[in-house]
Protein backbone atom coordinates (compact mmCIF):
# COMPACT_ATOMS: atom_id res chain seq x y z
CA UNK A 1 0.00 0.00 0.00
CA UNK A 2 1.46 3.37 -0.95
CA UNK A 3 1.26 6.65 0.93
CA UNK A 4 -1.50 7.91 -1.38
CA UNK A 5 -3.79 4.95 -0.74
CA UNK A 6 -6.17 5.05 2.17
CA UNK A 7 -7.49 2.30 4.37
CA UNK A 8 -10.45 0.73 2.54
CA UNK A 9 -12.83 1.26 5.46
CA UNK A 10 -11.65 4.71 6.49
CA UNK A 11 -14.28 7.41 6.30
CA UNK A 12 -13.42 10.78 4.76
CA UNK A 13 -13.74 13.54 7.38
CA UNK A 14 -16.31 15.45 5.30
CA UNK A 15 -18.42 12.30 4.91
CA UNK A 16 -18.26 11.67 8.67
CA UNK A 17 -19.20 15.30 9.29
CA UNK A 18 -22.28 14.91 7.05
CA UNK A 19 -23.29 11.63 8.71
CA UNK A 20 -22.93 13.06 12.22
CA UNK A 21 -24.75 16.26 11.25
CA UNK A 22 -27.74 14.21 10.17
CA UNK A 23 -27.53 11.90 13.19
CA UNK A 24 -27.16 14.68 15.77
CA UNK A 25 -29.36 17.29 14.09
CA UNK A 26 -30.29 20.01 16.58
CA UNK A 27 -28.37 18.44 19.49
CA UNK A 28 -24.95 19.99 18.87
CA UNK A 29 -23.63 23.52 18.59
CA UNK A 30 -21.26 22.75 15.70
CA UNK A 31 -19.53 20.00 13.75
CA UNK A 32 -16.33 21.22 12.13
CA UNK A 33 -13.56 19.68 10.06
CA UNK A 34 -10.11 21.14 10.54
CA UNK A 35 -6.83 19.46 9.60
CA UNK A 36 -8.87 16.42 8.48
CA UNK A 37 -10.27 15.92 11.99
CA UNK A 38 -13.93 16.15 12.93
CA UNK A 39 -14.77 18.14 16.07
CA UNK A 40 -18.23 18.24 17.61
CA UNK A 41 -19.01 21.03 20.09
CA UNK A 42 -21.92 20.21 22.35
CA UNK A 43 -23.58 21.95 25.30
CA UNK A 44 -23.31 20.43 28.77
CA UNK A 45 -27.08 19.85 28.75
CA UNK A 46 -26.87 17.68 25.59
CA UNK A 47 -23.52 16.04 26.40
CA UNK A 48 -24.68 12.68 27.80
CA UNK A 49 -27.35 12.15 25.16
CA UNK A 50 -24.95 12.95 22.32
CA UNK A 51 -22.27 10.68 23.75
CA UNK A 52 -24.76 7.81 24.15
CA UNK A 53 -25.87 8.30 20.52
CA UNK A 54 -22.27 8.34 19.30
CA UNK A 55 -21.66 5.00 20.98
CA UNK A 56 -24.92 3.25 20.08
CA UNK A 57 -25.97 4.52 16.63
CA UNK A 58 -25.19 2.12 13.78
CA UNK A 59 -23.66 4.90 11.65
CA UNK A 60 -21.34 6.02 14.47
CA UNK A 61 -20.42 3.05 16.71
CA UNK A 62 -17.74 4.85 18.71
CA UNK A 63 -16.96 1.90 20.97
CA UNK A 64 -13.83 3.32 22.54
CA UNK A 65 -13.07 6.46 24.49
CA UNK A 66 -9.39 7.05 23.72
CA UNK A 67 -8.81 10.21 25.73
CA UNK A 68 -10.54 12.85 27.83
CA UNK A 69 -8.72 15.95 28.98
CA UNK A 70 -9.53 19.24 30.63
CA UNK A 71 -8.89 22.60 28.99
CA UNK A 72 -8.57 26.12 30.38
CA UNK A 73 -9.36 28.65 27.66
CA UNK A 74 -8.79 31.74 29.84
CA UNK A 75 -5.69 32.79 27.89
CA UNK A 76 -6.64 31.22 24.55
CA UNK A 77 -6.00 33.47 21.57
CA UNK A 78 -3.71 35.71 23.62
CA UNK A 79 -6.54 36.47 26.01
CA UNK A 80 -9.11 37.36 23.35
CA UNK A 81 -11.27 34.33 24.19
CA UNK A 82 -14.75 35.41 25.30
CA UNK A 83 -16.47 32.07 25.85
CA UNK A 84 -16.65 29.76 28.85
CA UNK A 85 -13.32 29.15 30.54
CA UNK A 86 -13.28 25.38 31.11
CA UNK A 87 -14.01 22.49 28.76
CA UNK A 88 -13.51 18.76 28.48
CA UNK A 89 -12.29 17.39 25.17
CA UNK A 90 -12.97 13.74 24.39
CA UNK A 91 -11.49 11.63 21.59
CA UNK A 92 -13.58 8.66 20.45
CA UNK A 93 -12.69 5.77 18.16
CA UNK A 94 -14.89 3.42 16.18
CA UNK A 95 -12.81 0.32 15.57
CA UNK A 96 -15.62 -1.32 13.58
CA UNK A 97 -16.04 1.65 11.21
CA UNK A 98 -12.43 2.93 11.37
CA UNK A 99 -13.36 6.51 12.25
CA UNK A 100 -12.47 9.03 14.93
CA UNK A 101 -14.15 12.10 16.36
CA UNK A 102 -13.34 14.77 18.91
CA UNK A 103 -16.10 16.05 21.19
CA UNK A 104 -15.72 19.33 23.07
CA UNK A 105 -18.08 20.35 25.87
CA UNK A 106 -17.79 23.61 27.78
CA UNK A 107 -18.62 23.88 31.47
CA UNK A 108 -21.53 26.30 31.91
CA UNK A 109 -20.05 27.85 35.09
CA UNK A 110 -16.48 29.16 35.37
CA UNK A 111 -16.59 29.40 39.17
CA UNK A 112 -17.67 25.78 39.64
CA UNK A 113 -16.93 23.81 36.45
CA UNK A 114 -19.38 20.90 36.35
CA UNK A 115 -20.10 18.32 33.65
CA UNK A 116 -21.90 14.96 33.62
CA UNK A 117 -19.67 11.89 33.84
CA UNK A 118 -19.51 9.53 30.85
CA UNK A 119 -18.26 6.62 32.99
CA UNK A 120 -21.64 4.93 32.55
CA UNK A 121 -21.06 4.91 28.79
CA UNK A 122 -17.30 4.19 28.69
CA UNK A 123 -15.62 2.78 31.81
CA UNK A 124 -12.31 4.07 30.40
CA UNK A 125 -13.41 7.61 31.35
CA UNK A 126 -12.70 6.84 35.02
CA UNK A 127 -9.05 7.91 35.27
CA UNK A 128 -9.34 10.58 32.57
CA UNK A 129 -12.15 12.35 34.45
CA UNK A 130 -10.17 12.08 37.67
CA UNK A 131 -7.19 13.66 35.93
CA UNK A 132 -9.31 16.56 34.58
CA UNK A 133 -10.72 17.05 38.10
CA UNK A 134 -7.29 16.96 39.72
CA UNK A 135 -5.50 19.25 37.26
CA UNK A 136 -8.31 21.66 36.26
CA UNK A 137 -10.96 21.33 38.97
CA UNK A 138 -13.68 20.11 36.60
CA UNK A 139 -16.23 18.16 38.63
CA UNK A 140 -17.86 15.20 36.84
CA UNK A 141 -21.31 14.68 38.27
CA UNK A 142 -22.13 10.99 38.69
CA UNK A 143 -18.49 9.86 38.82
CA UNK A 144 -18.35 7.30 41.63
CA UNK A 145 -14.71 7.86 42.66
CA UNK A 146 -13.79 11.47 41.84
CA UNK A 147 -10.59 12.10 43.79
CA UNK A 148 -7.07 13.28 43.02
CA UNK A 149 -4.97 11.03 40.83
CA UNK A 150 -1.71 12.89 40.06
CA UNK A 151 -1.23 15.43 42.85
CA UNK A 152 -0.88 14.74 46.55
CA UNK A 153 -4.13 14.55 48.51
CA UNK A 154 -2.99 17.55 50.57
CA UNK A 155 -2.35 19.66 47.48
CA UNK A 156 -4.40 22.86 47.37
CA UNK A 157 -5.68 24.04 43.99
CA UNK A 158 -5.48 22.70 40.45
CA UNK A 159 -2.03 23.08 38.83
CA UNK A 160 -3.04 23.23 35.14
CA UNK A 161 -5.35 26.20 35.58
CA UNK A 162 -3.81 29.21 33.87
CA UNK A 163 -4.08 31.26 37.08
CA UNK A 164 -2.51 28.58 39.30
CA UNK A 165 0.40 29.81 41.44
CA UNK A 166 2.26 26.67 40.31
CA UNK A 167 2.44 28.05 36.77
CA UNK A 168 4.09 31.28 37.92
CA UNK A 169 6.76 29.65 40.06
CA UNK A 170 8.65 26.41 40.07
CA UNK A 171 7.57 25.74 43.67
CA UNK A 172 4.30 24.16 44.63
CA UNK A 173 3.79 22.92 48.14
CA UNK A 174 1.06 20.83 49.66
CA UNK A 175 1.12 22.88 52.86
CA UNK A 176 2.36 26.39 53.63
CA UNK A 177 6.01 26.62 54.56
CA UNK A 178 6.71 27.23 58.24
CA UNK A 179 9.64 29.52 57.38
CA UNK A 180 7.74 31.71 54.93
Amino acid sequence: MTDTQTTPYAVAPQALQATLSQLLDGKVQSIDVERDEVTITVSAAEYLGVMQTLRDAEVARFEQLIDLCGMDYSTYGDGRWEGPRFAAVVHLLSVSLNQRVRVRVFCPEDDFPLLPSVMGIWAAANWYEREAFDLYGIVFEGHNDLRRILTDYGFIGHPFRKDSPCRATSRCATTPSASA
Side-chain angles (χ1 to χ4, degrees):
M1 191 173 271
T2 66
D3 290 338
T4 58
Q5 293 176 324
T6 59
T7 306
Y9 300 104
V11 177
Q14 291 75 13
L16 179 58
Q17 178 187 33
T19 299
L20 295 177
S21 292
Q22 188 174 27
L23 176 67
L24 302 171
D25 185 39
K27 296 178 183 169
V28 298
Q29 295 170 336
S30 66
I31 302 178
D32 302 309
V33 175
E34 189 170 327
R35 297 187 179 113
D36 288 333
E37 295 181 355
V38 178
T39 301
I40 298 170
T41 302
V42 62
S43 70
E46 296 285 349
Y47 180 54
L48 275 183
V50 166
M51 297 304 261
Q52 188 77 50
T53 300
L54 289 172
R55 189 194 68 184
D56 297 342
E58 281 298 312
V59 296
R61 286 194 268 174
F62 289 100
E63 306 99 349
Q64 291 186 343
L65 182 142
I66 306 171
D67 188 26
L68 182 151
C69 64
M71 296 289 294
D72 181 350
Y73 282 90
S74 63
T75 60
Y76 186 75
D78 294 327
R80 293 186 305 266
W81 178 257
E82 293 185 14
R85 178 177 177 181
F86 296 104
V89 178
V90 183
H91 290 95
L92 302 176
L93 171 67
S94 171
V95 175
S96 58
L97 298 177
N98 195 14
Q99 57 193 18
R100 295 171 184 261
V101 70
R102 175 186 304 116
V103 179
R104 180 173 58 180
V105 56
F106 285 96
C107 302
E109 300 279 333
D110 289 348
D111 293 333
F112 186 70
L114 177 70
L115 292 172
S117 174
V118 293
M119 266 190 54
I121 302 171
W122 294 283
N126 181 5
W127 283 32
Y128 295 124
E129 288 181 350
R130 286 180 59 193
E131 179 183 62
F133 165 71
D134 191 7
L135 300 178
Y136 291 95
I138 299 171
V139 175
F140 291 90
E141 190 172 33
H143 192 290
N144 63 2
D145 189 23
L146 196 61
R147 58 190 163 101
R148 294 197 179 270
I149 192 168
L150 296 173
T151 60
D152 186 80
Y153 289 113
F155 186 84
I156 299 168
H158 304 283
F160 280 18
R161 287 187 173 193
K162 302 293 183 184
D163 57 359
S164 172
C166 293
R167 297 181 62 82
T169 66
S170 59
R171 269 186 55 203
C172 277
T174 56
T175 56
S177 172
S179 62

